[in-house]
Amino acid sequence: MPAAPYIRWFGELSLADLPLVGGKNASLGEMFQQLTPLGVRVPDGFAVTAPAYRDALTAANAWPELHGLLDQLDKTDVSALARAGTRAREIVYGAAMPAAVEQQLREAWRALKAASGEGLSVAVRSSATAEDLPSASFAGQHDTYLNIQGEEMLIDAVKRCQASLFTDRAISYRTDNGFDHFKVSLSVAVMQMVRSDLASAGVMFTIDTESGHPDMVFITGAWGLGENVVQGAVDPDEFYVHKPTYIQGFRSVLRKTLGDKQVQMVYAPGRTREPVVNRPTPRADRLRYCLSDADVLVLADAAIKIEEHYSRLAGERRAMDIEWAKNGPDGELFIVQARPETAISQRKALQLEEYLLDGDGTGTVRATGRAVGAKVATGRVRLVTDARHLSAFQPGEVLVADTTTPDWEPVMKTAAAIVTNRGGRTCHAAIVARELGIPAVVGAEHASEVLRDGEMVTVSCAEGAVGKVYEGAVAFHKQVTDLTGLKRPATEIMVNLGNPELAFQVSQMPCDGVGLARMEFIINEHIKVHPMAVLHPERITDAAERARVLALSAGYADGASYFIERLAEGVGTIAAAFYPRPVIVRLSDFKSNEYAALIGGRDFEPHEENPMLGFRGAARYIHPAYAEGFALECAAMKRVREVMGLSNLKLMVPFCRRLEEARRVLAAMASHGLQRGENGLEVYVMCEIPNNVLLIDEFAELFDGFSIGSNDLTQLTLGVDRDSAIVAESFDEQDPGMLKMLKLAVEGARRNHRHSGICGQAPSDHIEVARYLVELGIDSISLTPDRVLRTMQAVHEIEVAQGRPGRAG
């Protein structure tokens, strides 16, 4: 009688084989069969089936002792868990591999070697029969062995992989998720190694891992083998690609962030027990991205195809968690694992949960890093330098460490928050924090040095992409809004937003788009340099400032490229987050004193006694002192619309005093490739000067819409300096004169069939102003994010009283 088939090649497997070969192997086989023809590259290899594991334990009569160890185990007793896990692994590793399994394993190795060449090395990875399910990933629970060479090393690695079914973390994970230890078996994947030790590797998701935005491919990577990215040993590079526009044929990277990539994992030739080793990454490599834009787009293409395939099989949208590796010798990119994403994609969308810091949020910040999640937590610091200190950890403390490993998970489950020195948003600590629903700040360099054991801290991930660790207990509150049956008014409710880091999160709100995206925030926070200074660094008189300008643009073709690409990334991120909803971006409206505060700005700005009424807005764009800078802004906006494909971007001209000024600005924009009406481009104007209201019929001939800026319009109508505390009582958006201005503006826009909106502070601060505007029939109201839902409900009630029909939620 022939021996049972203990080996199955990837080319023979599909998802239907999960009970036989586990989730990882079934998925690799599915991709190898179905997606390789579509250009998704998957390394060849084979599975050692689950029966090989079970037959070995049966032959060794190992089941009774394993049941004795695990059936009554209290996994909350960390010491008992460790003892049981150690003994269980000894039992499995000590069980002799059946002769038929060993023979078939050796034959498969030789066949793979014959196909790939003498230098064959493989990755040996666990594949549990209950893993990679949409509700439970088993990610990181079992062991992986890399750069395995030769039959003897292979046999040993397979046995070690099988024994890792009983790591402490895996025992704990199965208990928490309701899996019977003895109904889960361990298959093993043997896959040809991709020589990413000579290139780069990492992880990607077909969803934004923090906000749950479904339209993003989010890629992280670092030099060397991918384990460092998975385990959080490095601060990786990050890349985003927008799926809808990619599918339409636009090929661009939406945004990217350079990580520190401190170490890289490489082969250690001649070593059998430790065939890989970490070494410091050369400084030159730390300062450049581990993937080219072309590489990122190849990976995004693979991710989209994988998500489409698995979603089709599932009958519903299925976000995916994918590991990739780049082969150094030929530069080819391979997919080495794909499984359903099991944290953010499982979140229910019927409730909007927001964590908000109370007060002005200006507490002392002790450490910063990358925010995971959007929550806030307070607790005492517990520094953990290695696993020996885990037993001292108390529930509700803030776990602070250099990095975390899967073995720490039983303790991590009791933490209020997690802070690590190293790691990116796809590292182990980040993944676990997401699954647990607790905030984590990863890549917070030196956090374990500056935070003291036992001190009270507040960990905030509710302020965008930057996570902060505040000193002491900072007051905060949670706001939960039930979106079930939300009534949407006929009046469009939009948001004011300038920070790209908040875009994915805010875009999940049931709003109609962005009524005002301030370009100044992006320039100030993400570019930092005066636009004329990047073009003419030689005119910067301060040598230190000149050096800073040159350093910031060092990784780009020139200063202009730096400014254009960074501005396009920031604006593009907002436009992509809300796509296809409209995003109205206001061209820069710094005052001269604010421009002077940018790096290099003092050499390009005049001194003005009253900058509020001086060299700002439209007049600046057509002045010789700034015309080159305006050309950079236009080039960036053209890139967003035409290269990124984000045609939902509309542009808005601020502080346009006169009709002739408007005509000249529009002509300048057209000369830079932004012709109003071409490719659907709409250009709005801020209605914030009394002349805009008095000449609204004439301005309507030049622009597609008006956005009322209530702050400047109030200031100029009432003659009140809005920044002066002395006359603050006279600054009143509800003054009869202001109400008449608003009426003239809204009615004038409607008379000319132009869009009317308001993006000033008035409707955010005064619901009475919002009521008045709705009664006038304004088309849209744009507010700060924290006022959107409240105002939406109030506007709906106003419209009901008017007898106007709303919209479905």
Side-chain angles (χ1 to χ4, degrees):
M1 183 175 176
Y6 290 113
I7 300 295
R8 292 283 297 273
W9 290 86
F10 291 164
E12 304 173 302
L13 297 173
S14 71
L15 288 180
D17 295 301
L18 190 147
L20 180 69
V21 297
K24 186 180 286 100
N25 278 324
S27 183
L28 286 167
E30 181 75 29
M31 290 191 293
F32 197 88
Q33 282 199 52
Q34 303 296 325
L35 297 179
T36 298
L38 301 182
V40 177
R41 298 176 69 92
V42 179
D44 200 1
F46 56 85
V48 182
T49 64
Y53 159 82
R54 290 197 295 268
D55 289 356
L57 295 188
T58 299
N61 194 30
W63 300 113
E65 187 176 357
L66 288 171
H67 275 283
L69 288 168
L70 300 172
D71 285 349
Q72 304 301 322
L73 177 66
D74 176 8
K75 68 111 182 169
T76 61
D77 184 338
V78 176
S79 297
L81 173 63
R83 288 193 301 272
T86 298
R87 179 57 190 150
R89 292 191 296 276
E90 289 173 351
I91 292 168
V92 178
Y93 183 70
M97 181 179 286
V101 176
E102 182 175 337
Q103 179 186 343
Q104 292 178 33
L105 181 56
R106 290 181 184 274
E107 289 172 354
W109 165 267
R110 291 164 191 166
L112 189 59
K113 186 175 181 180
S116 61
E118 281 297 320
L120 174 66
S121 69
V122 295
V124 177
R125 314 181 76 179
S126 59
S127 181
T129 56
E131 72 178 0
D132 294 346
L133 305 177
S135 58
S137 72
F138 280 72
Q141 303 307 313
H142 312 115
D143 290 344
T144 291
Y145 297 89
L146 304 175
N147 188 25
I148 300 303
Q149 302 178 38
E151 294 176 28
E152 304 311 318
M153 279 185 72
L154 175 62
I155 291 169
D156 184 69
V158 168
K159 287 169 63 64
R160 290 182 183 278
C161 246
Q162 291 172 334
S164 74
L165 187 62
F166 295 105
T167 59
D168 300 359
R169 59 188 183 267
I171 295 170
S172 176
Y173 190 89
R174 285 194 296 272
T175 303
D176 288 342
N177 287 276
F179 289 97
D180 186 327
H181 298 299
F182 300 100
K183 289 185 179 177
V184 178
S185 296
L186 208 294
S187 173
V188 177
V190 179
M191 175 194 291
Q192 186 173 350
M193 281 288 292
V194 179
R195 290 301 304 269
S196 59
D197 60 306
L198 303 174
S200 57
V203 180
M204 60 180 172
F205 290 83
T206 62
I207 190 171
D208 177 52
T209 54
E210 304 315 313
S211 67
H213 200 301
D215 287 347
M216 305 299 156
V217 175
F218 174 48
I219 303 170
T220 62
W223 300 111
L225 303 175
E227 289 299 297
N228 280 338
V229 177
V230 174
Q231 298 301 338
V234 293
D235 181 20
D237 296 336
E238 295 183 350
F239 310 86
Y240 281 97
V241 175
H242 184 236
K243 288 187 285 189
T245 47
Y246 183 93
I247 291 168
Q248 292 172 25
F250 293 93
R251 297 291 180 264
S252 69
V253 177
L254 179 65
R255 65 180 303 181
K256 52 189 177 184
T257 303
L258 189 69
D260 205 28
K261 306 181 292 292
Q262 298 93 327
V263 294
Q264 60 188 105
M265 186 177 286
V266 297
Y267 285 9
R271 299 172 70 175
T272 56
R273 296 307 295 267
E274 296 178 58
V276 295
V277 65
N278 266 326
R279 70 181 186 196
T281 305
R283 178 166 172 77
D285 287 341
R286 292 171 69 172
L287 296 176
R288 66 187 181 99
Y289 288 101
C290 68
L291 290 170
S292 66
D293 283 7
D295 288 336
V296 171
L297 295 174
V298 169
L299 288 174
D301 184 76
I304 291 168
K305 288 172 179 173
I306 291 167
E307 181 182 60
E308 287 177 346
H309 180 75
Y310 282 76
S311 297
R312 188 164 56 251
L313 291 178
E316 62 181 9
R317 191 166 193 171
R318 182 63 47 87
M320 300 297 291
D321 171 353
I322 302 163
E323 293 181 24
W324 62 269
K326 183 175 181 178
N327 193 45
D330 60 13
E332 294 286 353
L333 288 152
F334 289 84
I335 302 303
V336 296
Q337 185 174 346
R339 57 178 171 242
E341 193 279 335
T342 59
I344 193 72
S345 59
Q346 301 297 307
R347 189 180 63 184
K348 302 303 179 187
L350 295 178
Q351 282 193 332
L352 183 68
E353 185 178 88
E354 298 173 277
Y355 281 72
L356 304 166
L357 294 176
D358 297 332
D360 57 11
T362 56
T364 302
V365 177
R366 301 290 304 282
T368 62
R370 298 185 183 188
V372 176
K375 296 184 177 181
V376 181
T378 298
R380 295 196 179 278
V381 168
R382 175 68 66 179
L383 293 172
V384 179
T385 55
D386 58 53
R388 292 174 298 173
H389 299 124
L390 288 173
S391 58
F393 191 89
Q394 298 297 311
E397 292 181 329
V398 174
L399 174 62
V400 179
D402 185 50
T403 186
T404 66
T405 71
D407 293 317
W408 295 20
E409 288 181 25
V411 163
M412 294 168 73
K413 287 178 170 64
T414 68
I418 299 169
V419 180
T420 64
N421 295 335
R422 295 186 286 164
R425 287 187 287 140
T426 57
C427 73
H428 172 261
I431 291 170
V432 172
R434 264 182 228 108
E435 289 189 354
L436 297 175
I438 62 175
V441 178
V442 299
E445 196 171 358
H446 306 304
S448 63
E449 298 171 23
V450 299
L451 299 175
R452 295 184 299 274
D453 221 28
E455 70 173 313
M456 184 67 73
V457 295
T458 299
V459 179
S460 172
C461 295
E463 302 168 77
V466 177
K468 300 176 181 177
V469 182
Y470 288 98
E471 182 177 290
V474 178
F476 67 92
H477 69 278
K478 182 171 77 169
Q479 183 173 297
V480 179
T481 306
D482 188 354
L483 302 181
T484 307
L486 180 72
K487 303 296 184 182
R488 301 283 292 274
T491 306
E492 294 179 349
I493 304 297
M494 306 176 83
V495 292
N496 297 338
L497 181 70
N499 185 353
E501 309 292 358
L502 294 174
F504 294 155
Q505 180 181 332
V506 174
S507 71
Q508 305 296 295
M509 301 180 73
C511 61
D512 293 298
V514 177
L516 173 63
R518 295 181 176 89
M519 192 179 283
E520 302 89 73
F521 184 93
I522 299 168
I523 295 174
N524 197 47
E525 296 294 322
H526 295 268
I527 298 175
K528 303 181 186 298
V529 181
H530 193 289
M532 295 298 289
V534 299
L535 291 170
H536 298 289
E538 73 283 355
R539 287 164 54 183
I540 303 173
T541 54
D542 184 286
E545 286 221 337
R546 190 184 320 119
R548 290 179 69 192
V549 170
L550 295 173
L552 283 168
S553 59
Y556 296 78
D558 50 35
S561 298
Y562 166 72
F563 190 94
I564 292 167
E565 290 181 34
R566 294 288 285 173
L567 182 56
E569 284 183 2
V571 170
T573 296
I574 299 173
F578 286 84
Y579 185 88
R581 290 171 287 176
V583 170
I584 303 168
V585 172
R586 187 179 70 187
L587 297 162
S588 68
D589 192 27
F590 281 125
K591 289 74 179 175
S592 56
N593 60 319
E594 295 168 337
Y595 259 122
L598 294 169
I599 299 172
R602 287 174 298 177
D603 292 293
F604 298 93
E605 294 297 325
H607 171 73
E608 295 183 288
E609 294 300 328
N610 191 348
M612 188 74 76
L613 296 178
F615 192 39
R616 63 175 287 201
R620 171 181 283 270
Y621 307 153
I622 53 177
H623 193 283
Y626 188 74
E628 289 179 285
F630 184 59
L632 296 183
E633 293 184 31
C634 291
M637 297 306 94
K638 184 177 180 182
R639 180 183 177 93
V640 172
R641 285 183 53 87
E642 298 184 12
V643 178
M644 295 181 175
L646 295 163
S647 56
N648 59 323
L649 175 68
K650 303 175 189 283
L651 299 178
M652 184 155 63
V653 177
F655 218 75
C656 189
R657 297 174 171 98
R658 301 170 56 248
L659 292 168
E660 179 57 26
E661 198 171 71
R663 294 187 187 98
R664 290 178 62 192
V665 168
L666 290 170
M669 291 174 66
S671 72
H672 298 312
L674 294 173
Q675 174 73 53
R676 176 188 166 215
E678 197 170 279
N679 297 323
L681 174 62
E682 292 187 12
V683 182
Y684 286 20
V685 66
M686 290 290 295
C687 185
E688 55 189 344
I689 300 170
N691 204 32
N692 301 143
V693 179
L694 296 171
L695 296 178
I696 197 160
D697 296 318
E698 291 80 0
F699 275 102
E701 294 178 9
L702 302 174
F703 295 100
D704 298 290
F706 297 87
S707 186
I708 299 167
S710 59
N711 292 342
D712 269 334
L713 189 58
T714 303
Q715 173 178 245
L716 296 172
T717 298
L718 301 180
V720 179
D721 181 352
R722 74 189 209 198
D723 292 335
S724 171
I726 298 175
V727 292
E729 289 187 9
S730 297
F731 188 89
D732 182 9
E733 299 99 323
Q734 300 179 76
D735 183 90
M738 261 304 295
L739 296 179
K740 188 167 186 178
M741 277 289 187
L742 294 175
K743 185 172 188 289
L744 290 171
V746 173
E747 291 179 347
R750 185 167 62 248
R751 180 171 64 247
N752 288 281
H753 308 289
R754 293 290 184 257
H755 180 92
S756 65
I758 186 166
C759 61
Q761 196 64 26
S764 286
D765 291 344
H766 307 289
I767 197 66
E768 297 83 3
V769 175
R771 182 186 305 277
Y772 179 68
L773 291 166
V774 171
E775 290 171 350
L776 289 174
I778 198 165
D779 294 315
S780 69
I781 298 176
S782 193
L783 312 113
T784 53
D786 60 318
R787 302 298 176 94
V788 165
L789 294 174
R790 190 188 72 173
T791 305
M792 185 177 291
Q793 292 162 356
V795 169
H796 173 71
E797 292 169 5
I798 294 166
E799 291 181 354
V800 168
Q802 293 178 327
R804 293 172 64 185
R807 290 176 289 169

